[in-house]
Amino acid sequence: YRHLHTFELQAPTRLIEWARGSRVCVAGYGQSDGNEILQLIPPPTLLTKETQGLCPERDFKVECGGFSERPVYSLKYVPDTSLLVTSGPPDSSLQVWQVSAEDSDVIKSVSPIATENGTGQSWAKIATISARAPWVLHGSRLDGVQITEVESRKNIYTAASGGSEELSSLAFLDCNTLLLCCATGRLCLADIRQPQSLVEAVSVPSAPCSEQWCMGTRHGAQGLEPSSQPVARLSSRGLLTLTDLRKTSEFLALATVRVPSPGSGAEFLCISWAPALEGCLAISGFDGTVHVYDTQSWDSSGREAEPVFVHKGHAFGGAGGSGDPPLVTVHTWHLQKPRTLLSAASDGSLHVWDWVQPCGKC
């Protein structure tokens, strides 16, 4: 490691979101009432663009917080606002939160966003954008995807019926283009200017029906088309696929990764591209580790990939609340520092870490 900072939360968290001013938002996912939503100020070393020496303050600080009556399974900051949007059981409705001004330390709940036929459906996956107005993309199934304007609650878009498969991930590629990933690995492109059109990308390799998939999209450098950035898909048995959206009829690359118990579950499956490193991605959700890979040498052979770095800090942090070893529930990359990641685990531990660069890798 080059740096490692740890912070202990009061309850397990399954999400981390960057907010205004390089703040970090986290939330609990327990089934009881009173799940915390916190906005944290990172250690000073993460707020500077250049590496510093020793800093007297090496911990996170709680800046403000609130409580959710339901578990928080997804949380997104709405760009250019002071709003957060969350979702979680028992239905697919959304909750909107106001992060209070500097003279208050409270995150307040405002009116929720209800969804048609939301009762009985699983929690909604969400993505946000603020290109034209503050929008939230949300849905739990492929045939129920919508875009809602956060402040007015106006419906902007409803996707064409492409089946009732459960969604695992969704994303804005730009203000007009959406990417939807089903738990089965099915990948669909949608254009809000053509609501009745869904374009399906190459299917994932055939696998057991119990296998679950998630996706990670990469935001390109300024001036690059979003479609030129590869989409990564990860399965619960350790299969990785890269797809170029400009040529969806074939895979850009295929690889396998070593996982402790293939296909055992996908509740916390997570894959993400490094925003400031070419070709690097990270995966987690199989155990108490986060693996980082350099994909630049991958081909379509499907051979096993070796990680550039493995973060094992959570695995040695102690047992979770159930007595089981901690499980990494989520990770995310720092937006400016190339090799810095944040990760959280089922024991409530929050880690910020980076690693010494191996020669010629990432």
Side-chain angles (χ1 to χ4, degrees):
Y1 292 98
R2 188 184 299 274
H3 299 101
L4 171 62
H5 302 274
T6 67
F7 183 73
E8 297 302 319
L9 300 165
Q10 293 299 312
T13 180
R14 63 177 293 158
L15 42 96
I16 306 168
E17 175 74 358
W18 288 102
R20 292 186 304 175
S22 295
R23 275 25 179 191
V24 177
C25 293
V26 297
Y29 65 88
Q31 296 300 319
S32 61
D33 291 346
N35 294 284
E36 281 189 307
I37 298 178
L38 301 175
Q39 182 165 285
L40 308 175
I41 302 176
T45 54
L46 289 185
L47 299 177
T48 58
K49 292 185 178 180
E50 297 182 0
T51 302
Q52 291 184 334
L54 291 175
C55 289
E57 296 288 341
R58 296 181 55 81
D59 210 346
F60 285 86
K61 289 184 177 180
V62 177
E63 184 174 37
C64 54
F67 290 93
S68 171
E69 294 181 356
R70 60 171 69 197
V72 181
Y73 278 27
S74 186
L75 178 152
K76 293 292 180 182
Y77 164 66
V78 183
D80 303 324
T81 73
S82 58
L83 299 174
L84 302 171
V85 180
T86 65
S87 65
D91 54 40
S92 61
S93 64
L94 308 181
Q95 287 68 52
V96 182
W97 303 84
Q98 175 75 54
V99 179
S100 300
E102 294 180 359
D103 59 348
S104 174
D105 60 359
V106 177
I107 297 178
K108 298 179 180 178
S109 175
V110 296
S111 58
I113 297 176
T115 54
E116 293 184 11
N117 303 320
T119 303
Q121 293 194 16
S122 60
W123 59 279
K125 283 66 178 179
I126 53 180
T128 54
I129 196 172
S130 192
R132 298 174 183 170
W135 288 354
V136 57
L137 170 67
H138 56 102
S140 59
R141 297 192 176 275
L142 190 60
D143 57 2
V145 174
Q146 302 176 50
I147 296 176
T148 303
E149 190 171 298
V150 177
E151 293 172 329
S152 68
R153 306 298 195 268
K154 179 183 176 182
N155 179 269
I156 303 298
Y157 166 85
T158 301
S161 179
S164 59
E165 295 174 60
E166 182 179 353
L167 288 171
S168 65
S169 323
L170 41 72
F172 283 102
L173 296 181
D174 56 34
C175 61
N176 292 313
T177 314
L178 319 173
L179 190 61
L180 316 173
C181 181
C182 298
T184 58
R186 184 183 178 192
L187 196 66
C188 294
L189 273 167
D191 192 317
I192 68 173
R193 296 162 296 188
Q194 300 174 342
Q196 301 307 311
S197 175
L198 280 178
V199 178
E200 187 169 350
V202 59
S203 299
V204 293
S206 58
C209 60
S210 61
E211 185 175 26
Q212 301 288 298
W213 291 79
C214 69
M215 78 166 178
T217 57
R218 184 181 176 205
H219 299 286
Q222 190 171 4
L224 287 180
E225 290 293 327
S227 60
S228 69
Q229 305 304 308
V231 176
R233 281 177 282 182
L234 170 67
S235 82
S236 54
R237 67 185 175 106
L239 184 62
L240 270 161
T241 72
L242 304 185
T243 305
D244 187 335
L245 295 179
R246 297 168 299 181
K247 193 173 183 181
T248 58
S249 60
E250 60 185 47
F251 291 116
L252 187 65
L254 282 170
T256 56
V257 296
R258 240 173 277 148
V259 296
S261 49
S264 62
E267 184 181 5
F268 301 113
L269 212 57
C270 183
I271 181 170
S272 63
W273 286 102
L277 281 178
E278 185 66 30
C280 278
L281 57 76
I283 68 169
S284 64
F286 297 98
D287 54 17
T289 65
V290 182
H291 291 227
V292 179
Y293 294 90
D294 183 354
T295 68
Q296 294 182 88
S297 62
W298 290 7
D299 53 29
S300 57
S301 66
R303 67 173 181 266
E304 185 174 304
E306 290 295 328
V308 172
F309 185 79
V310 180
H311 174 58
K312 300 179 180 179
H314 296 286
F316 298 111
S322 64
D324 298 323
L327 173 67
V328 172
T329 54
V330 69
H331 72 265
T332 189
W333 294 81
H334 193 283
L335 300 178
Q336 287 86 35
K337 294 180 178 289
R339 290 186 302 279
T340 299
L341 292 94
L342 291 82
S343 54
S346 56
D347 61 351
S349 59
L350 175 64
H351 289 184
V352 183
W353 47 276
D354 60 4
W355 70 97
V356 178
Q357 181 178 7
C359 182
K361 293 185 178 181
C362 281

